[in-house]
Amino acid sequence: MEKDRRALGFLEVQGYSVALAAMDKACKTADIEIRGIDSNNPDPGARLCIPVMVQVKFTGNVSSVQSALEAARAEALRHIPEEAVLVHSIASGAEGVNGLIGIGKVSPSVRAGREFVRSDGSYDAIGLVEAEHFATAVHLTDLMCKTAYVEYIHSERYLGGKLVTVIVGGSTANVQAAMEAVLRYGELYAGAAPKTAITVTNPHPEIMRFICKQPDRKGTTARRRRKP
């Protein structure tokens, strides 16, 4: 079957971190390929707890796409209300539709067919924190890295809604400790409360394509700091 005639799956949720967590479950459930991630903002007057709608577009065979959508929806509902989750599928996209699903603000960090690069080779878990305003996101990142043995991996700040997503990686226990730290901090200082703080264990390579570090010009990455 030609690639552009495969089944198409669409997930639309509030928040980039929720989208990544949902697609991690989807990719672990079925054999699919993420083709694009995009966003659109609601009307300025819209009252949304996370003011950005993120769309993920992916392909696979019909049964895989359906299974992936069910898994993605179930995971998204753990973090946001039902009205903020939309799933849809097309059994066989018309010729030329494939060109549309690859359009998006978030691009894979590595070329297709190439292994993603991480500074220590692997992470047991990643933490997804979404905060309003860049300064708050940097502050929370600093807090996470000082509270637990985690490494800053990536940030996404071009999706709109005044939101910045920061991603850290490390062992499951350390990432969970980092998420708990930002949540406690948000309880003390309402203005710095994260919109979301999600732990993803054993992150799937398909989502890591969109959030991993780029190698430098010499083909290496920055070394991970070592414990004293």
Side-chain angles (χ1 to χ4, degrees), residues 96-114:
V97 170
N98 186 65
L100 294 175
I101 68 170
I103 298 173
K105 295 184 178 73
V106 184
S107 300
S109 296
V110 294
R111 296 176 182 176
R114 180 179 174 187

Side-chain angles (χ1 to χ4, degrees), residues 40-119:
N40 68 304
N41 294 319
D43 294 333
R47 295 181 178 275
L48 296 177
C49 58
I50 303 177
V52 60
M53 300 299 293
V54 176
Q55 307 99 37
V56 185
K57 298 155 281 187
F58 57 93
T59 58
N61 63 40
V62 174
S63 60
S64 292
V65 166
Q66 290 297 330
S67 297
L69 286 174
E70 292 173 5
R73 184 176 185 276
E75 176 63 20
L77 290 176
R78 295 182 58 239
H79 309 288
I80 54 178
E82 187 172 3
E83 59 269 22
V85 181
L86 181 147
V87 294
H88 187 68
S89 64
I90 299 175
S92 180
E95 186 175 355
V97 170
N98 186 65
L100 294 175
I101 68 170
I103 298 173
K105 295 184 178 73
V106 184
S107 300
S109 296
V110 294
R111 296 176 182 176
R114 180 179 174 187
E115 291 291 331
F116 58 83
V117 179
R118 292 179 290 185
S119 62

